[in-house]
Amino acid sequence: QVQLVESGGGLVQAGGSLRLSCAASGGTFSRYYIGWFRQTPGKEREFVSSINLVGSGTDSADSVKGRFTISRDNAKNTVYLQMNNLKPEDTAVYYCAARKNLGRPYEYWGQGTQVTVSS
């Protein structure tokens, strides 16, 4: 069973950048598909971006395409979310999640990291 810990959140002005990290332990990291999600109070958690086992394939929500980049370093058991040109509407708690099989729900979740973008 894998454990996930997010870091890198914070307060940034609109147009700025942040890099989130999702560090994994307790499992064979390269066997897990990883996704990033975000949630604001009163709203459902929404998909942000995902990456395949070796980092050769990614997917992103339309709202972040061209601004956010997901990557992974299996040697470091870590997935990154580089967020550029941040907007106030990107303010949310960001979560990373892991699953072993595509098409199944994400099974493991981190505790989240707060990102706040001021206008």
Side-chain angles (χ1 to χ4, degrees), residues 61-81:
D62 288 342
S63 59
V64 306
K65 280 181 179 177
R67 299 189 298 122
F68 291 11
T69 302
I70 189 172
S71 62
R72 69 189 294 163
D73 185 340
N74 285 345
K76 295 183 178 180
N77 291 352
T78 303
V79 168
Y80 304 98
L81 186 68

Side-chain angles (χ1 to χ4, degrees), residues 50-113:
S50 63
I51 193 165
N52 68 4
L53 300 179
V54 297
S56 60
T58 64
D59 188 23
S60 295
D62 288 342
S63 59
V64 306
K65 280 181 179 177
R67 299 189 298 122
F68 291 11
T69 302
I70 189 172
S71 62
R72 69 189 294 163
D73 185 340
N74 285 345
K76 295 183 178 180
N77 291 352
T78 303
V79 168
Y80 304 98
L81 186 68
Q82 178 66 45
M83 306 187 296
N84 298 328
N85 190 22
L86 283 160
K87 304 176 180 180
E89 51 264 41
D90 294 318
T91 295
V93 177
Y94 283 72
Y95 300 88
C96 65
R99 60 183 175 181
K100 281 191 173 181
N101 298 301
L102 288 176
R104 294 186 61 84
Y106 283 90
E107 303 164 86
Y108 308 102
W109 293 81
Q111 83 290 346
T113 185

